[in-house]
Amino acid sequence: MPWYERKPVGLLLRLGGLALLLLASLAARMLRARAIAGPIDYDPTAWLLAPIAFLCGSAGAAFLFVGPHLFDPVKIAKRWRRRDD
């Protein structure tokens, strides 16, 4: 049995996804507060908060909703396989 199919690992992946979504929410709120305060065109903190919010939100949603099935193998159509397969 692969490590990601164990029950505690699935629970930890989902809890980690929830934590990442909370971090994304925090980063988005901080970015919004900076934008309300004034222009953020050349603000390096704002440029850092935006990708943090996006990446944490994307990874968190994947971990939370898909969980351990994120590592399931995907069958590729014969048309898209290498010729040496």
Side-chain angles (χ1 to χ4, degrees):
M1 172 186 288
W3 64 271
Y4 54 84
E5 288 183 359
R6 295 188 180 115
K7 191 158 188 111
V9 174
L11 181 63
L12 286 175
L13 279 172
R14 293 183 191 268
L15 288 175
L18 186 61
L20 283 173
L21 284 175
L22 291 174
L23 183 64
S25 173
L26 178 66
R29 286 177 190 225
M30 290 173 63
L31 182 61
R32 182 175 184 267
R34 283 180 129 4
I36 289 174
I40 58 172
D41 293 339
Y42 300 104
D43 185 6
T45 307
W47 283 91
L48 183 64
L49 286 172
I52 287 174
F54 176 75
L55 292 174
C56 287
S58 300
F63 287 166
L64 181 65
F65 294 116
V66 181
H69 296 289
L70 192 63
F71 302 107
D72 286 352
V74 176
K75 187 171 180 179
I76 298 176
K78 187 176 180 183
R79 175 181 180 180
W80 299 108
R81 291 188 201 152
R82 293 182 185 161
R83 293 186 189 265
D84 59 355
D85 283 347

